[in-house]
Structure formats: C-alpha cells, structure tokens
C-alpha cells in the first residue's frame, strides 16, 4: 500500500499524531512547499521517488506536479502488486503496466493521460541511470518500438475561433464590454489590459501558455514601428528552441498594459518584494543586447542567457530600480511577481463564460470554453490558410509565365506547412498536418484582424514570410 502526501509547512503535528507520522512531519520542514512525498505502508518516504520529486518540484507548476504525483503513486503501487519496485522492475513489468492502463482493469486512459504516465516513467528511470542505481532502462527500444510507445494515435481537439468569436472574447470576455460594445457598468475586472495583452500574444504568435506567461519584460520591448522576434527555449515544450514574430499592434497592446496596470502593480509591490528579497533571484546586471543577466539566488552568483533562464527563476527574478525591487516578469500580479498558469486558466475560464453568456449570437453557437491553447490553434489555422493562399497565388503566376521556375530552396522557404511547423515548434510534421483539414472552412477566421494590425498594409502572412529567414 502506497500513501501520498504533500508538504504543507502551515500544518503542525497534533498531540494524537502517530510517532512515525510526527517523525515524517519534522523531516519535511526542509522540503519545498507542496512537494509530493510517496510513503510506504510503514509511513516511510520511498526512494528514489523522494529525490525525483525534489528535482521535479523545482521546475514544475503545482497543478502539474500534483498530477505527476498521483501518476507516480499509481505506477509504484502497480509494481508493488507484482512484488517489485522501480529499481528492480523488468520489461515485462513495464509492459504489464501499459496493458493495465490502456485496456486493463481500469477504464482505458486517453492518449494525453498515457503520455503523462510516460513522462513520469521516463523521468524516474533517467534519474536512476544518471545516479548509477541501474545500468539502463528495463525496456529495450528497437527503432521506434518501445513498451512506452502508444499503440494508437489521436488527433488534438482543434477549436479555432472565428473573427467574430475572437473579437467578442477579447472585448466582452476580457475587456468588460457589453455585446453592443458599451462599457459594462457591472464589470469589476481590474486587469483587463493584462489579460487582453496576454491573449493577443497567444493568438498572434502561437505561443503556449507556459511560454507567454513566463516572458520577461525585457524580452518584449516597446514598439518602435515594426514587429520583433522573440527567442524561446527554456520555457518552450521540450526546451525546443524557436523564434516567434510579435506583430506591431500586439506590441502596442503589451506596452499599454506596461504603462498602466503593470506600472501601478510594480509601485505598490516594491516594499513587499524587498522584504522577500532573500527568497528571490535578485538580478544586478542585465544586458538585453547581449541577452545575458547576472544575479544572486540562494546565496550564490548565477549567470544566464535570457532565453535559457528556466521558468522557476523567471517567476522569482527581480531587479532593483529607483522605486525599489521590480519583477523582471512581464505579466505580474498583486504581489509583484508573475501570475501563475492557474490564474491564467481562471482568467480565460471566467472570460469565456462571460462571452458565452452575454454575447451568444456573436459567439456563433460556440459552447466550448475558450482556453489559451485554442488561441494557439487559431493562430495555426489562420496562418496556414493565409500562407496557402500566398503559395497558390505564386504558383498561378508561374503557370501564367509571369515568373520563372522556383528553386528547391524557394519551395522550402514558402512551404505553408513547414513555416507553420517551425513557428509552432512542432517536432512531428504529422502534428501540423492535422490543421490542413481546417483551411477549407475558415474564410471567416480572424485574418482581417491580422491584416489590420499592420500600419504598412502588409498582411500577417507577408510579415511572416518576410521574417522567414529567422532561425
């Protein structure tokens, strides 16, 4: 029998605590708040899971960490029923667990759930091999065949927004207006500019929530007449490096938030951040042109390139200004530090509920709540449609004899699917191919919005094509 508990430093042991539980409590005072602890039937912490969660807790948001914890308990408990553990498990044990999860006594899991199981399994065995506790993983991989590999494929749930849905979500849901466009007197939101700037970053760049929510203020400079490109790596999925193009109008939305809501929060939170400075990453040097920052965290000097700064340091990075300490993060909350992914999800959920309730006609019959990932899907579908139109127009010109034959490099450079795959950071081309089925039915999507965001009259697709040489 395996037990799962989470570190809570606010709890104190009661007088009727079992001696073993009291001992566990005293030993967890040095562990991070919220860290999972897997316990055996004698209430003893189970290694190597304790070390595994120490490492994972440093770079994982609380919601994901809790999900990993329950996955780990399930895996460890299953192995215990087979009279083994992660160190001594064989390939047959791993296969048995996979069969149990996908078609066994439990309800068959979804592909996304199994992928999360795989993250935990690969993570614990990576720790075991790196620390020399085992020589290699218990399974054998031949080509693309592995006990951890799914036997089925499923397509992602693509839910792009139309132009009307996007505008309604932005103005009514996040901006606090009525369906008629007037200010809603019952609106009590205080961070509409922050919410709208984050949503515009998502829909015009295709950034994931974990990417745009961890941006540093210095990575999105004030508008200067053109868009900019942002290098993503540490916060990208699988740390896969890529550049994204931020259009000029999105920069203006971000700067409006920066000059108003963010400035007010920064001023109000300077004193509280100063009192917490011992637990923060205090940056004393930042060179934006070179993309390097230096500072002190946990009593040690630390140097990072901006795009390689991990999420957990981004959330506690501060710098001293004339008015006191200021967070380096772009989207900050009342305490002065960046808001969490959970807060972003709550913001989107409340905004989509409001839009669906107050502007049903404008939402076009849509019933599903709008998530940050829906905006990423919208970016992909709109851009793929626009780039496909550009490619078809150029092909028509060639057939008409107006231009010469294209070279292989030109075919690659303007290939719509390859461009979208690069901008979204997809490792597998098949993931991008899923969006192809939507381009025939998206004439009413938000392409007009992208076009209106360029002062020079350049379409968003043209802007991306002009920037296609950025690696």
């Amino acid at each position: 029998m395996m037990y799962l508990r989470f570190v809570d430093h606010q709890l104190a042991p009661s007088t009727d605590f079992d001696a073993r539980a009291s001992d566990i409590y005293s030993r967890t005072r040095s562990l991070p708040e919220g860290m999972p602890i897997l316990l055996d039937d004698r209430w003893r912490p189970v290694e190597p899971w304790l070390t595994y969660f120490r490492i994972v807790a440093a770079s994982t948001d609380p919601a994901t960490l809790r999900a990993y914890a329950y996955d780990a308990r399930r895996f460890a408990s299953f192995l215990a029923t087979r009279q083994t553990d992660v160190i001594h498990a064989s390939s047959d044990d791993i296969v048995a667990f996979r069969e149990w999860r996908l078609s066994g006594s439990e309800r068959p899991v979804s592909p996304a759930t199994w992928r999360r199981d795989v993250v935990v399994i690969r993570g614990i065995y990576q720790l075991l091999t790196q620390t020399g506790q085992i020589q290699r993983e218990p399974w054998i991989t031949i080509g693309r065949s592995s006990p951890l590999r799914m036997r089925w494929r499923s397509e992602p749930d693509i839910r792009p927004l139309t132009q009307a849905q996007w505008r309604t979500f932005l103005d009514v849901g996040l901006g606090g207006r009525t369906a008629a466009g007037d200010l809603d007197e019952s609106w009590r939101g205080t961070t509409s500019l922050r919410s709208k700037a984050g949503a515009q970053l998502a829909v015009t760049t295709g950034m994931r929530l974990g990417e745009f929510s961890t941006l540093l203020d210095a990575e999105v400079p004030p508008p200067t007449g053109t868009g900019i490109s942002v290098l993503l790596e540490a916060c990208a999925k699988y740390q896969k490096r890529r550049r994204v193009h931020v259009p000029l109008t999105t920069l203006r939305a971000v700067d409006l938030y920066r000059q108003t809501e963010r400035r007010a929060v920064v001023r109000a939170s300077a004193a509280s951040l100063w009192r917490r400075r011992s637990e923060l990453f205090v940056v004393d040097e930042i060179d934006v042109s070179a993309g390097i920052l230096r500072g002190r965290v946990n009593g040690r000097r630390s140097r990072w390139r901006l795009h390689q700064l991990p999420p957990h340091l981004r959330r506690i990075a501060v710098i001293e200004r004339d008015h006191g300490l200021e967070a380096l993060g772009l989207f900050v909350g009342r305490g002065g530090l960046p808001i969490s992914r959970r807060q972003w999800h709550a913001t989107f959920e409340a905004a989509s509920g409001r839009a669906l309730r107050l502007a049903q006609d404008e939402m076009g019959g849509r019933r599903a709540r709008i998530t940050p990932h829906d905006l990423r899907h919208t970016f992909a579908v709109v851009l793929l449609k626009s780039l496909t139109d550009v490619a078809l127009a150029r092909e028509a010109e060639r057939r008409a004899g107006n231009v010469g034959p294209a070279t292989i490099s030109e075919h690659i450079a303007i290939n719509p699917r390859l461009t979208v795959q690069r901008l979204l950071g997809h490792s597998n081309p098949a993931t991008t191919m899923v969006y192809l089925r939507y381009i025939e039915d998206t004439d009413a999507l938000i392409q007009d919005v992208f076009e209106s965001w360029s002062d020079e009259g350049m379409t968003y697709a043209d802007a991306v094509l002009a920037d296609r040489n950025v690696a």
Side-chain angles (χ1 to χ4, degrees):
M1 182 68 176
M2 293 286 181
Y3 299 94
L4 182 63
R5 295 294 183 268
F6 298 87
V7 174
D8 187 346
H9 294 152
Q10 296 180 356
L11 294 178
S14 61
T15 56
D16 58 348
F17 247 34
D18 180 85
R20 289 169 297 181
S22 180
D23 180 57
I24 293 299
Y25 169 82
S26 63
R27 279 187 284 161
T28 60
R29 299 301 293 174
S30 63
L31 300 178
E33 180 76 13
M35 191 190 104
I37 302 178
L38 200 60
L39 307 168
D40 63 16
D41 56 1
R42 298 177 61 185
W43 284 78
R44 297 174 302 185
V46 179
E47 284 286 10
W49 294 107
L50 185 64
T51 301
Y52 170 76
F53 281 119
R54 274 183 180 271
I55 298 171
V56 174
S59 59
T60 306
D61 66 271
T64 303
L65 186 63
R66 289 183 71 90
Y68 286 167
Y70 287 110
D71 294 339
R73 182 181 65 173
R74 184 186 300 108
F75 181 51
S77 297
F78 178 85
L79 293 179
T81 64
R82 295 174 65 87
Q83 307 299 313
T84 188
D85 55 29
V86 288
I87 295 179
H88 302 97
S90 66
S91 180
D92 290 341
D93 295 319
I94 305 298
V95 171
F97 178 73
R98 182 195 66 189
E99 295 302 316
W100 179 66
R101 290 291 278 153
L102 301 185
S103 58
S105 58
E106 280 198 334
R107 179 181 176 182
V109 298
S110 67
T113 301
W114 174 245
R115 282 194 292 269
R116 199 179 65 201
D117 281 334
V118 171
V119 169
V120 173
I121 295 172
R122 288 192 184 280
I124 190 64
Y125 280 109
Q126 183 178 24
L127 171 64
L128 292 174
T129 55
Q130 289 178 347
T131 55
Q133 298 182 64
I134 61 174
Q135 295 299 314
R136 61 175 181 81
E137 299 92 343
W139 61 84
I140 299 176
T141 301
I142 302 176
R144 297 175 63 87
S145 177
S146 163
L148 299 182
R149 187 171 177 80
M150 294 182 295
R151 294 183 174 181
W152 24 249
R153 294 190 60 86
S154 66
E155 294 182 352
D157 185 12
I158 308 297
R159 301 182 304 184
L161 278 66
T162 65
Q163 180 180 350
Q165 290 170 346
W166 158 246
R167 275 300 177 191
T168 302
F169 175 71
L170 187 70
D171 296 332
V172 178
L174 297 173
R177 294 188 174 272
T178 66
D182 303 320
L183 286 175
D184 186 352
E185 295 182 359
S186 65
W187 171 252
R188 295 293 181 267
T190 59
T191 60
S192 59
L193 294 180
R194 182 186 71 191
S195 302
K196 292 173 68 173
Q200 285 182 255
L201 271 170
V203 84
T204 61
T205 66
M207 279 194 274
R208 301 177 177 90
L209 173 59
E211 296 166 344
F212 75 78
S213 67
T214 55
L215 283 173
L216 302 181
D217 184 47
E219 291 177 308
V220 188
T224 57
T226 61
I228 56 102
S229 73
V230 177
L231 180 60
L232 303 175
E233 182 174 351
C235 297
K237 191 173 183 179
Y238 307 129
Q239 289 75 54
K240 182 178 175 62
R241 183 188 296 192
R242 79 179 192 281
R243 284 191 180 272
V244 297
H245 178 83
V246 184
L248 177 60
T249 302
T250 301
L251 291 178
R252 290 172 176 163
V254 170
D255 201 52
L256 177 60
Y257 152 70
R258 176 188 285 125
Q259 300 301 328
T260 52
E261 293 177 359
R262 188 181 188 280
R263 176 176 292 179
V265 170
V266 165
R267 298 283 182 177
S269 60
S272 63
L273 287 180
W274 180 259
R275 290 192 292 269
R276 298 178 56 190
R277 63 188 182 278
S278 62
E279 59 190 80
L280 302 177
F281 176 25
V282 182
V283 175
D284 50 41
E285 180 184 352
I286 179 168
D287 186 340
V288 177
S289 60
I292 295 175
L293 57 79
R294 298 178 178 86
R296 182 174 293 274
V297 60
N298 295 328
R300 294 184 176 183
R301 294 291 300 172
S302 186
R303 176 186 180 276
W304 293 91
R305 292 192 175 274
L306 286 180
H307 61 278
Q308 294 176 338
L309 186 66
H312 73 280
L313 288 183
R314 287 171 174 262
R315 296 191 180 281
I316 61 172
V318 296
I319 190 169
E320 188 170 1
R321 306 287 192 193
D322 293 338
H323 52 268
L325 288 183
E326 175 182 336
L328 289 185
L330 176 60
F331 297 114
V332 294
R334 280 189 297 178
L337 295 179
I339 63 174
S340 65
R341 292 163 61 105
R342 180 179 298 179
Q343 286 179 281
W344 276 110
H345 278 298
T347 297
F348 271 66
E349 183 175 358
S352 59
R354 174 181 164 84
L356 292 168
R357 184 176 66 255
L358 300 182
Q360 295 182 0
D361 292 341
E362 288 76 5
M363 294 301 288
R366 185 187 180 100
R367 296 181 180 179
R369 295 296 177 97
I370 297 169
T371 69
H373 220 67
D374 290 339
L375 301 189
R376 175 175 163 85
H377 290 163
T378 302
F379 166 84
V381 172
V382 171
L383 186 58
L384 188 57
K385 171 68 164 61
S386 182
L387 292 175
T388 300
D389 290 344
V390 171
L392 291 175
R394 294 189 179 185
E395 180 62 24
E397 290 183 353
R398 289 192 184 91
R399 292 184 178 183
N402 297 330
V403 295
T407 64
I408 293 179
S409 61
E410 287 175 330
H411 275 300
I412 295 174
I414 66 172
N415 183 291
R417 185 187 58 75
L418 292 179
T419 301
V420 174
Q421 180 185 345
R422 174 175 60 83
L423 291 174
L424 290 178
H426 286 161
S427 299
N428 189 346
T431 306
T432 313
M433 291 290 289
V434 174
Y435 294 100
L436 288 173
R437 69 179 59 199
Y438 292 87
I439 65 174
E440 296 300 327
D441 304 313
T442 53
D443 290 341
L445 284 175
I446 61 173
Q447 179 60 30
D448 290 342
V449 178
F450 289 173
E451 292 175 354
S452 68
W453 281 341
S454 175
D455 291 341
E456 292 76 24
M458 180 185 292
T459 68
Y460 188 66
D462 290 337
V464 174
L465 287 172
D467 193 46
R468 64 179 180 267
N469 291 324
V470 179

